[in-house]
Amino acid sequence: MIAVVQRVKRAAVRVDGEVVGRTGPGVVVLLGVLAVDGESEARGLAERIASFRMFADADGRMNRAAAEVGAGVLVVSQFTLAADGRKGRRPSFDRAAPPAQAEPLYLLFAARLSELGLPVETGRFGASMEVELVGDGPVTFVLTS
């Protein structure tokens, strides 16, 4: 799995103009599921993100995790993160999990974050989505399972 994790002041995802998920202060996770991924990768990456220290402590240092500060999480599926653009001018998506494999893992990932006490909202798997966010920092990380 590949996750682009961005700390935000607020974010929303829309499908056909309708807001289907939003968060206030917290993080947006753009999640790409690879064909080699399974349940252990989904759970493990969710646990890593929940405990990843990307929020400031009283001294302004990144020493606090999303779970500690009660950050909201907006999870958006993004299969293009699995793209391989090393050859030619068109990306290959051969590494991406097919939808029948990716969707349950995406949902498991979001459910695990919720089990860890984070308020979680999601986009709509497979839909064409508009993601709007106001970055905080900016603070952005690329994490893999």
Side-chain angles (χ1 to χ4, degrees):
M1 291 189 149
I2 302 169
V4 175
V5 182
Q6 186 161 9
R7 196 174 70 191
V8 298
K9 292 184 184 274
R10 64 184 176 277
V13 62
R14 291 177 179 78
V15 175
D16 296 326
E18 171 194 355
V19 174
V20 296
R22 66 168 35 115
T23 188
V27 295
V28 169
V29 178
L30 303 176
L31 185 69
V33 182
L34 305 177
V36 296
D37 291 331
E39 291 183 5
S40 65
E41 286 80 12
R43 285 190 186 95
L45 188 56
E47 291 162 8
R48 185 166 177 218
I49 289 170
S51 63
F52 199 76
R53 297 190 296 176
M54 66 181 100
F55 292 89
D57 63 13
D59 296 324
R61 299 185 63 200
M62 281 191 223
N63 275 327
R64 301 192 71 203
E68 290 178 71
V69 300
V73 182
L74 178 60
V75 182
V76 179
S77 63
Q78 184 148 1
F79 83 96
T80 58
L81 290 174
D84 181 353
R86 292 178 292 178
K87 294 194 283 185
R89 297 183 305 199
R90 179 171 299 172
S92 167
F93 297 105
D94 291 344
R95 296 184 328 151
Q101 174 189 354
E103 185 174 16
L105 294 175
Y106 160 76
L107 294 172
L108 176 63
F109 172 86
R112 182 64 185 134
L113 286 171
S114 184
E115 289 169 0
L116 293 167
L118 295 166
V120 177
E121 295 204 16
T122 64
R124 189 170 297 152
F125 186 88
S128 178
M129 295 175 275
E130 295 176 8
V131 180
E132 179 179 9
L133 61 87
V134 176
D136 183 11
V139 173
T140 306
F141 300 97
V142 177
L143 303 176
T144 59
S145 58

